[in-house]
Amino acid sequence: MSVEEEWRSKAGPWARATMPDGQKLDVVVTARHRSRDGRWWYECEAILPARHEAADGATKMMGAPTPISVESERIAEIPGEDYSLVSTDGAIAGRQWAIERLHQYTEDAPSRRLHRRDCWQVRNEHTLIPTREAVESQAHPDIATCDVCRPDKALPR
């Protein structure tokens, strides 16, 4: 078993992170966190090279887990990985999302719009909902997503 295969079998779930310079790096997802500004972050461990020196002075390269935080937009889940056990901080803590009732100008137009709770675009009648309902609402054809606050970028996938 190669070193890469050994890391993959011992840790997980894995995801593909896009670094600020555009490089792709496979990382171990350890948690998801919603920051106070409403943005979602993945807490991860990147397995980076590190020099290990033995007592006899011999050195070799090893992989060392290094904690990093990655914006949710820069994480791509890898098919076949199970993310259900990853802790999610801030996902259910209160009614963080707003569903705004819209005036329908045509029968095909959405009747409601999903926003982040603090979005300045919420003008009309609205209801605050928990994260679970907000995630489910994204699949509903009658509910549009706000183009300003982009709740789809902050909601867990």
Side-chain angles (χ1 to χ4, degrees):
M1 180 181 285
S2 73
V3 173
E4 180 182 334
E5 291 168 336
E6 186 177 344
W7 273 111
R8 287 203 180 270
S9 68
K10 289 181 179 178
W14 288 81
R16 185 141 305 127
T18 303
M19 300 291 106
D21 65 357
Q23 292 184 65
K24 307 278 188 207
L25 178 65
D26 284 1
V27 295
V28 178
V29 177
T30 58
R32 290 178 284 236
H33 173 77
R34 183 173 189 240
S35 57
R36 291 187 329 174
D37 64 2
R39 296 176 62 204
W40 281 98
W41 294 82
Y42 278 66
E43 303 306 324
C44 306
E45 289 183 345
I47 310 303
L48 299 178
R51 178 180 48 86
H52 173 74
E53 189 170 329
D56 65 359
T59 59
K60 65 178 180 177
M61 184 178 76
M62 298 181 66
T66 305
I68 63 172
S69 296
V70 182
E71 297 169 287
S72 64
E73 303 86 39
R74 295 181 159 271
I75 287 285
E77 294 181 353
I78 297 175
E81 295 287 329
D82 180 12
Y83 301 91
S84 64
L85 297 178
V86 175
S87 69
T88 303
D89 176 33
I92 308 293
R95 298 181 181 275
Q96 301 170 358
W97 312 97
I99 291 282
E100 175 188 24
R101 183 179 302 275
L102 301 174
H103 179 79
Q104 283 184 283
Y105 294 101
T106 67
E107 193 174 303
D108 297 354
S111 62
R112 294 172 288 167
R113 181 175 294 127
L114 177 65
H115 298 270
R116 295 179 194 222
R117 180 181 185 152
D118 57 354
C119 180
W120 63 274
Q121 288 287 308
V122 180
R123 297 185 190 114
N124 300 322
E125 179 185 333
H126 67 278
T127 304
L128 296 178
I129 62 171
T131 299
R132 179 183 43 77
E133 289 179 35
V135 169
E136 292 168 359
S137 74
Q138 293 181 97
H140 198 284
D142 224 19
I143 300 175
T145 302
C146 178
D147 292 336
V148 175
C149 69
R150 297 301 307 265
D152 55 321
K153 295 290 186 182
L155 284 165
R157 301 169 204 234

